[in-house]
Amino acid sequence: MTVAARNKALATQARRIYVEALVHGLVALGRAVNESAAKLLLLSAEYAVMVARRDGVQSWNRHGPAWQAGVISGIRHAAVYGIVDTQKSPADAKAVHTEGSMSLVDDDTIEREITASRLALAMMDKATWEFSDLRTRMQVLEQQDELAPQDLFRANVLAKLVLDAWTRSGLSNSDWQMLRTDLHQEFAQLLGEAYHEVNAWLLTQSVMPEVDLRPFIRRAAQAAGTAAYPGQSAEAQLRGGVMRGGSGLSPAAAAAANHPAAVAARSPVSSQAEEVLQLLQRIVGGQVPAFAATRLEAHATAMSGGASALAPMAGGAKQGLPARLSSAIKNAQEALQRAPLQTPGAPEPAAPQVLEELQTRNQAFKQVLKQAAETPAERATIELVAMMFQSILMEEHIPATVRVWFARLQMPVLRVAVSEPDFFATTDHPARQLIDRMGSCVMGFSAGSGASNGGSGPEPLEREIKRVVQVVEAYPDTGRRVFQTVLTEFEKFLDNYFEHENQTTRHGVSLAQQVEQRETLAIQYTIELRKMLSAVPVQDGVREFLFHIWADVLAVTAVRAGAQSEQTRLMKRAAADLIWSASAKVSREERAEVIRRLPPLLKTLRDGMGQAGMAVERQDEQVRTLNNALAAAFTAKTAQIPRERLDELMDQLETLEAMLPEGGDEIDIDQTMVRDLSGHESEGMEVVAEGGSEPSPAMLAWAKELQVGGWYMLDYRNRNEAVQLAWRGTRRQMALFVTASGRGVLFQLSRMAAFLQAGLLLPAQDESLTVKATRNALAKLDVDPARLLN
């Protein structure tokens, strides 16, 4: 068999596998939708809603089997006979001619097209990478430059078959809307599984094995007790770094990131974001070569010279936007800032209405801006920014009142995207970071519920977002600098907000800060005590007591009473007395002096341990150890500590604070210095002291990247609940998560990385707002790549 004949046979078989995977998956999909429909009837709601649900579920029960059979029949027919492209041109799609007159297309047709488009986007949401690999392989096998527009592999084609069968079976659009969320999820799962199955088979046939197959999520991945990382067993997740979203690191990249000798481990989230931007370069660059060339140049400059090197480029050779485009953006921005037209005497429009008006204006401005653009790269950038913001403004996890302000950012972001090419080349552009930070804070599970600010008064977070947007609008020509400035201000606001303004979090933050202050001092005391006693002959048991127990006692006393208080000096004198008592005693007088001073010394030691929160049983254990060390001193043959050396040690202890470095950032904390925080648990704050395994470098890098304000799902102590990251320590070695009820959960860095690795701590969103928006834009370009040039 010739190579061409073999390739044709492989392509034919791949399409059969794809069809059978869809048909087989539709059975499981039908069962899942049946269960979802039954659960809807159990939910409490207003009477009218309950009646509508009852009618919708009855309609589904009557017509669902016919729809399922219709979809299967449509898929098999399309696989054999293909699909005739009967789609009208964009001009014709707006109107049809009847008897010499013009009439609008009926609303049902338009609504079905919109619904099919949304379904296609939902299906590609998790399957973009699998589809990219499959398309590449099929292009090689079938010797085509691109899949046909009506190819059954395309999500929009399958979506149209699904919606056509839905209408023919007697189901209505309201029935679809009732089940939309579950249908979107199930079809996204189904299509991804089908792509994956074909890719896996082609891989066994050695068809382009160098195309990395991404880890894939199974249908049972959302079951209780399963870690939410795609396609990885719990054992694999505990061993190394993985990432969410089904679009993770390639095997080579993952191996490099998890290698113990990795010089600079990259977090899986950063790797994912960079992969999305690289894919953007390839896809858009294929249509508009100038776009890719400019962005790659910006990326190279950023890699070699950092952000500072980009500043001259952004304002140098290009010297801002072309006058015509700049004027068009300015006019569009001013129009967006004006309130929508309002009927006199009518109430102020609600946020969803304002948002819809802004979206309509943005889409209208897009065509005007494209006409004002001078180059294909500028037109492509305008289209990309518009698609990104369309995705952001459809994000249902963000309250509508906040999305109104995000809509106002489209023109300022477009200005920097056109004039600063690195916006689409690097993940660290301040405009991108600002959108992501603001988005992560309001995409929580309690958004809009009032829980995030204690349930009283206007939401401070929304007010700050409004202020940030207005500042950006006030300085339209400043570009990167204004975004960097407001990003810094927003981060400072968050720290202050969670510490002082948010009633749910401020108690926990206060407790966490006290823990950090105590732990920082304890570590500093331990370091200085080690230096002081490095050349002093002290019994090992006493030495360990001073380092591990008494350093913490000194820290607690200094935090509560002050470093120079009499109580703190008493604890320091006790340390000096203990050192002297445990040194070799060769004369009868010294031994008698030890016996005389021992009872008050032990009382002071017990008092100190009690103030540090140590249980009585553990105090008894420590005292027994010290008694053994003191008894050993009576028979020790080691050298004595001279009196002048003891006096010197006491002086050093008295002035210990003067030797401590200023600020916690100057302490180099390694694993040997990380202390057990379990003793700090109190009412209102839990301390995570166990769970997970040794984290990989990639997971540690991810843990360091987590930003204050983000929302997560935490599986801990038989609870799986939403938590918000409310505080990071000054050295980023500690992190406090707070539940909606105000209970704090405190992590050390390594433990947090272990929870991320094990899937016990999961981001509320698979990826950042701008990365998700970029992926959605890529999915739309995959359906209609020509829109970049129109």
Side-chain angles (χ1 to χ4, degrees):
M1 182 183 295
T2 65
V3 173
R6 179 179 182 274
N7 286 349
K8 183 177 180 180
L10 288 175
T12 301
Q13 182 61 20
R15 292 185 177 277
R16 290 197 192 103
I17 292 172
Y18 173 67
V19 169
E20 293 308 314
L22 291 178
V23 171
H24 178 74
L26 276 166
V27 177
L29 183 148
R31 288 197 298 266
V33 177
N34 283 337
E35 293 175 3
S36 299
K39 290 178 181 177
L40 275 176
L41 296 179
L42 303 178
L43 299 177
S44 59
E46 297 178 0
Y47 178 75
V49 176
M50 292 183 65
V51 170
R53 286 176 179 170
R54 183 198 62 196
D55 294 343
V57 171
Q58 290 177 351
S59 176
W60 164 257
N61 291 336
R62 285 196 307 271
H63 304 298
W67 166 75
Q68 197 170 345
V71 176
I72 293 174
S73 174
I75 290 173
R76 292 197 182 281
H77 184 276
V80 176
Y81 300 104
I83 298 176
V84 178
D85 187 1
T86 58
Q87 186 178 8
K88 298 176 176 63
S89 67
D92 293 337
K94 296 178 182 177
V96 293
H97 295 277
T98 57
E99 299 179 359
S101 64
M102 182 173 289
S103 62
L104 294 176
V105 174
D106 65 278
D107 292 341
D108 289 343
T109 302
I110 296 175
E111 186 66 32
R112 189 165 62 250
E113 290 295 325
I114 294 173
T115 303
S117 177
R118 288 175 176 168
L119 175 61
L121 288 174
M123 288 194 289
M124 289 302 294
D125 187 48
K126 299 295 182 186
T128 301
W129 303 98
E130 290 281 359
F131 174 72
S132 177
D133 291 349
L134 177 59
R135 177 174 57 184
T136 302
R137 290 188 169 106
M138 294 303 295
Q139 287 171 346
V140 170
L141 293 177
E142 297 178 336
Q143 293 296 301
Q144 295 178 345
D145 292 334
E146 184 56 271
L147 294 177
Q150 295 301 307
D151 197 304
L152 190 56
F153 278 130
R154 293 192 178 276
N156 63 306
V157 175
L158 178 61
K160 189 174 185 303
L161 288 175
V162 169
L163 267 298
D164 287 346
W166 187 274
T167 303
R168 288 196 304 270
S169 67
L171 289 163
S172 66
N173 183 61
S174 61
D175 297 335
W176 178 275
Q177 297 305 323
M178 181 186 69
L179 298 168
R180 181 184 64 178
T181 300
D182 297 293
L183 286 165
H184 281 190
Q185 291 176 351
E186 292 300 323
F187 270 110
Q189 189 74 28
L190 171 63
L191 189 65
E193 287 176 348
Y195 287 158
H196 178 72
E197 190 167 334
V198 180
N199 271 322
W201 181 79
L202 289 173
L203 192 59
T204 64
Q205 304 300 312
S206 300
V207 179
M208 295 188 71
E210 68 276 10
V211 176
D212 296 325
L213 286 175
R214 275 71 183 181
F216 189 71
I217 190 167
R218 299 184 297 275
R219 178 168 292 279
Q222 300 302 322
T226 308
Y229 287 103
Q232 294 240 339
S233 66
E235 180 184 1
Q237 293 169 27
L238 288 168
R239 280 201 308 267
V242 294
M243 64 179 285
R244 303 189 68 195
S247 54
L249 296 168
S250 65
N258 289 318
H259 196 280
V263 177
R266 296 164 59 206
S267 80
V269 174
S270 297
S271 300
Q272 178 188 29
E274 290 181 8
E275 282 194 16
V276 171
L277 291 184
Q278 290 170 7
L279 183 60
L280 179 73
Q281 306 303 319
R282 293 199 299 271
I283 291 179
V284 180
Q287 296 288 321
V288 186
F291 176 93
T294 306
R295 266 68 191 173
L296 291 175
E297 178 185 352
H299 183 65
T301 307
M303 294 297 290
S304 61
S308 60
L310 288 167
M313 179 189 69
K318 207 169 182 58
Q319 290 297 332
L321 297 173
R324 185 180 176 194
L325 180 57
S326 178
S327 177
I329 293 177
K330 179 182 178 182
N331 292 335
Q333 181 175 324
E334 291 174 350
L336 289 174
Q337 290 176 243
R338 290 192 292 269
L341 294 176
Q342 185 177 351
T343 304
E348 184 176 346
Q353 294 174 282
V354 176
L355 184 63
E356 185 176 353
E357 172 70 19
L358 289 173
Q359 287 178 290
T360 302
R361 292 188 188 185
N362 277 336
Q363 289 301 311
F365 292 146
K366 182 180 72 173
Q367 297 304 323
V368 176
L369 293 170
K370 281 189 170 183
Q371 293 173 6
E374 297 180 355
T375 66
E378 290 173 354
R379 285 189 285 275
T381 301
I382 293 168
E383 182 66 42
L384 285 172
V385 171
M387 286 192 291
M388 281 184 60
F389 273 86
Q390 185 180 15
S391 173
I392 291 171
L393 300 184
M394 291 176 63
E395 180 53 67
E396 295 179 353
H397 288 95
I398 301 178
T401 53
V402 177
R403 277 182 279 165
V404 167
W405 293 103
F406 274 105
R408 296 263 292 263
L409 278 178
Q410 179 168 339
M411 294 306 152
V413 168
L414 174 60
R415 184 179 293 275
V416 298
V418 174
S419 60
E420 301 177 15
D422 60 306
F423 178 81
F424 280 117
T426 61
T427 59
D428 58 358
H429 192 286
R432 184 182 291 275
Q433 290 181 320
L434 177 68
I435 295 171
D436 288 339
R437 288 304 308 277
M438 295 194 302
S440 68
C441 294
V442 295
M443 289 173 75
F445 297 89
S446 61
S449 66
S452 56
N453 70 330
S456 61
E459 175 59 63
L461 193 54
E462 291 187 14
R463 289 202 306 267
E464 176 63 13
I465 290 174
K466 174 182 176 180
R467 186 196 70 83
V468 164
V469 174
Q470 289 175 333
V471 170
V472 171
E473 290 177 330
Y475 298 92
D477 299 321
T478 312
R480 170 189 294 270
R481 285 181 296 167
V482 70
F483 279 102
Q484 184 61 64
T485 299
V486 294
L487 173 61
T488 302
E489 291 177 351
F490 185 71
E491 290 174 339
K492 290 179 179 178
F493 160 81
L494 288 178
D495 290 337
N496 180 74
Y497 169 63
F498 288 117
E499 182 178 350
H500 300 293
E501 295 186 47
N502 191 314
Q503 296 179 21
T504 304
T505 62
R506 63 183 183 183
H507 178 64
V509 171
S510 177
L511 291 175
Q513 288 174 333
Q514 293 175 32
V515 171
E516 183 186 44
Q517 184 182 9
R518 171 177 167 178
E519 290 304 305
T520 300
L521 274 175
I523 291 172
Q524 290 173 328
Y525 281 134
T526 302
I527 293 172
E528 295 306 320
L529 285 169
R530 285 180 176 177
K531 292 178 183 177
M532 289 167 53
L533 301 180
S534 61
V536 178
V538 180
Q539 206 270 349
D540 287 345
V542 174
R543 189 184 297 269
E544 291 303 307
F545 175 82
L546 290 171
F547 294 162
H548 294 113
I549 305 298
W550 206 246
D552 187 49
V553 172
L554 289 173
V556 172
T557 309
V559 169
R560 292 179 179 174
Q564 302 304 322
S565 67
E566 180 58 33
Q567 189 176 2
T568 303
R569 283 198 292 270
L570 177 64
M571 297 302 165
K572 292 176 180 177
R573 281 196 295 270
D577 287 345
L578 182 60
I579 294 170
W580 176 81
S581 300
S583 63
K585 299 296 179 286
V586 296
S587 69
R588 181 176 297 178
E589 292 77 9
E590 286 180 331
R591 292 171 182 172
E593 181 66 14
V594 170
I595 294 172
R596 184 184 68 81
R597 294 165 61 171
L598 185 57
L601 174 60
L602 291 178
K603 182 180 184 306
T604 302
L605 295 178
R606 279 188 177 275
D607 289 344
M609 289 186 287
Q611 291 172 12
M614 183 179 292
V616 175
E617 295 79 8
R618 194 175 174 202
Q619 292 181 34
D620 294 339
E621 180 185 343
Q622 295 297 327
V623 169
R624 283 195 298 271
T625 302
L626 289 176
N627 278 327
N628 294 335
L630 295 175
F634 279 62
T635 59
K637 304 299 183 183
T638 57
Q640 292 180 277
I641 302 177
R643 170 55 60 183
E644 50 279 9
R645 180 64 181 123
L646 281 171
D647 293 340
E648 183 183 345
L649 283 175
M650 190 61 215
D651 290 340
Q652 289 177 337
L653 284 168
E654 288 281 1
T655 58
L656 191 56
E657 285 75 24
M659 295 182 286
L660 301 180
E662 294 183 3
D665 292 334
E666 303 202 14
I667 306 176
D668 184 17
I669 303 295
D670 58 27
Q671 286 300 311
T672 64
M673 298 299 298
V674 173
R675 295 162 50 85
D676 179 12
L677 300 184
S678 57
H680 296 297
E681 188 152 312
S682 62
E683 184 179 357
M685 187 174 75
E686 300 173 351
V687 176
V688 181
E690 58 184 4
S693 59
E694 185 68 23
S696 67
M699 291 296 106
L700 283 169
W702 188 7
K704 291 177 182 177
E705 288 180 1
L706 300 190
Q707 300 284 352
V708 168
W711 284 87
Y712 301 83
M713 286 300 297
L714 174 62
D715 188 348
Y716 182 59
R717 292 183 176 175
N718 299 318
R719 295 188 299 261
N720 196 323
E721 56 192 337
V723 293
Q724 188 172 26
L725 179 53
W727 174 83
R728 293 299 302 259
T730 54
R731 301 187 315 275
R732 301 187 74 80
Q733 291 292 318
M734 295 184 192
L736 178 73
F737 295 84
V738 179
T739 67
S741 63
R743 189 182 71 259
V745 184
L746 186 65
F747 281 87
Q748 287 176 313
L749 180 66
S750 59
R751 185 65 59 193
M752 182 166 60
F755 267 56
L756 287 169
Q757 180 168 283
L760 301 174
L761 180 66
L762 300 174
Q765 306 300 323
D766 291 340
E767 53 204 349
S768 71
L769 195 56
T770 59
V771 172
K772 181 178 180 180
T774 303
R775 280 204 309 108
N776 287 340
L778 289 172
K780 294 177 182 178
L781 290 178
D782 182 70
V783 174
D784 182 16
R787 64 191 302 167
L788 284 173
L789 304 174
N790 293 335

